[in-house]
């Protein structure tokens, strides 16, 4: 069983209103958890894609392995109620367009989610994977350096920005589909495939970058600096993710199903 597209975006609006009115300390702590869960998924991706022969001879197949693993991060975030900056851009934008959330509260929610995710990613990277020595030895160390170089050193600013739009279009679509499904198995299945798409295509997710790039710094990736991480890992990825989530998902589905439409009841219940 599932909700209709119109009912689903109504649920997104209600969730966005609830998120935007949550106590700031709760938002931040939930975002710390969300960042940590993304870090675990990112680390798993790096491990399963450590296969030098495949990297040389079947790179697409290797990406597929990573793409099948990485969605565990969003699944854990959605099912535990943690906060993710990228997904929140859709939820809160719909609530704001629907008149259920003020613009200052929207930006405050984004701010808290962003820095909470950053704190969670950095904490997990440093204390679990850094001091834990998970990637200290070959071939895993070289895989991280190669991955981060391809993610951060090689692409240009505008390329990361455009990839980030596509990334969060798919991430927020995964969040949308999770709201559409009523059964937990269906929720997981629905979330998995948009995430699979974004990873297999090599698109840019600002929260994932908060784990990958600092890990590359920790392991001494050549030519990688904190300044470059901010300039290429945070700014274009963050702006692109906002456009993809708030515009291509949030505003689009709001205009298609909610704008000018009569109030939508969910299971016979109006918005409180």
């Amino acid at each position: 069983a599932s909700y209709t597209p119109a009912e689903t975006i109504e649920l997104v609006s209600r969730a966005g209103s609830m998120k935007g009115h949550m106590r700031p300390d709760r938002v931040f702590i939930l975002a710390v958890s969300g960042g940590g869960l993304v870090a675990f998924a990112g680390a798993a991706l790096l491990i399963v894609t450590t296969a030098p022969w495949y990297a040389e001879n079947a790179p697409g197949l290797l990406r597929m392995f990573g793409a099948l693993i990485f969605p565990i991060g969003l699944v854990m975030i959605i099912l535990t109620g943690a906060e993710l900056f990228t997904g929140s851009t859709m939820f809160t934008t719909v609530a704001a367009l629907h008149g259920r959330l003020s613009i200052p509260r929207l930006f405050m929610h984004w701010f808290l989610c962003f820095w909470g995710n950053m704190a969670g990613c950095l904490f997990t990277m440093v204390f679990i994977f850094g001091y834990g020595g998970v990637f200290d030895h070959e071939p895993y160390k070289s895989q991280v350096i190669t991955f981060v170089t391809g993610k951060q050193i090689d692409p240009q600013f505008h390329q990361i920005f455009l990839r980030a739009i596509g990334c969060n279009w798919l991430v927020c679509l995964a969040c949308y589909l999770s709201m559409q499904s009523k059964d937990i198995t269906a929720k997981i299945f629905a979330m998995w495939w948009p995430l699979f798409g974004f990873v297999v295509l090599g698109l840019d997710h600002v929260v994932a970058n908060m784990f990958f790039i600092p890990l590359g710094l920790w392991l001494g990736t050549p030519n990688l600096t904190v300044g470059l991480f901010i300039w290429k890992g945070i700014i274009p990825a963050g702006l692109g993710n906002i456009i993809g989530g708030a515009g291509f998902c949030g505003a689009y589905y709001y205009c298609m199903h909610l704008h000018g439409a009569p109030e939508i009841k969910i299971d016979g219940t109006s918005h409180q």
Side-chain angles (χ1 to χ4, degrees):
S2 63
Y3 294 104
T4 67
E7 288 174 329
T8 304
I9 200 65
E10 166 67 20
L11 286 170
V12 168
S13 175
R14 294 183 186 186
S17 174
M18 183 192 71
K19 288 173 180 289
H21 289 98
M22 198 184 300
R23 275 197 351 245
D25 59 315
R26 283 195 65 204
V27 175
F28 184 80
I29 293 168
L30 288 169
V32 171
S33 172
L37 295 176
V38 168
F40 282 116
L45 179 149
L46 290 168
I47 293 293
V48 300
T49 55
T50 301
W53 186 91
Y54 281 96
E56 185 70 28
N57 297 282
L61 190 62
L62 205 55
R63 273 198 185 183
M64 186 189 76
F65 293 152
L68 286 170
I69 293 295
F70 188 75
I72 61 172
L74 185 66
V75 169
M76 292 188 292
I77 287 168
I78 294 290
L79 296 186
T80 62
E83 289 288 348
L84 183 67
F85 168 75
T86 45
S88 288
T89 60
M90 174 186 71
F91 286 103
T92 53
T93 295
V94 173
L97 290 171
H98 215 180
R100 294 172 174 173
L101 185 67
S102 69
I103 297 301
R105 281 190 174 272
L106 175 143
F107 283 122
M108 176 57 71
H109 189 80
W110 289 6
F111 178 86
L112 293 168
C113 283
F114 182 90
W115 290 109
N117 287 165
M118 177 74 84
C121 283
L122 292 178
F123 175 85
T124 309
M125 187 283 293
V126 170
F127 291 103
I128 306 296
F129 301 108
Y131 288 124
V134 174
F135 294 96
D136 281 359
H137 304 293
E138 298 296 347
Y140 302 109
K141 182 176 180 179
S142 292
Q143 167 61 13
V144 173
I145 291 171
T146 301
F147 181 88
V148 171
T149 298
K151 177 70 70 178
Q152 194 75 122
I153 307 294
D154 297 340
Q156 299 178 42
F157 185 98
H158 74 277
Q159 292 175 321
I160 295 173
F161 170 73
L162 294 171
R163 294 175 192 179
I165 294 174
C167 168
N168 209 30
W169 188 349
L170 290 171
V171 170
C172 288
L173 181 59
C175 295
Y176 173 91
L177 294 175
S178 77
M179 301 291 286
Q180 189 165 24
S181 309
K182 294 184 179 181
D183 176 74
I184 191 168
T185 305
K187 282 181 180 290
I188 294 170
F189 189 81
M191 280 186 270
W192 212 273
W193 299 111
L195 267 290
F196 173 89
F198 118 62
V199 177
V200 84
L201 291 169
L203 304 179
D204 278 272
H205 189 268
V206 69
V207 181
N209 283 355
M210 294 172 185
F211 167 72
F212 289 131
I213 314 307
L215 181 63
L217 284 165
W218 183 277
L219 295 175
T221 302
N223 303 314
L224 183 61
T225 64
V226 173
L228 187 67
F229 166 49
I230 295 169
W231 175 242
K232 288 173 73 176
I234 295 294
I235 295 173
L239 293 174
N241 285 168
I242 288 170
I243 292 171
F248 283 68
C249 271
Y252 169 76
Y253 288 117
Y254 170 79
C255 290
M256 291 300 100
H257 300 296
L258 291 180
H259 181 63
E263 183 181 11
I264 297 172
K265 293 186 176 182
I266 305 295
D267 300 327
T269 305
S270 300
H271 173 67
Q272 299 301 316

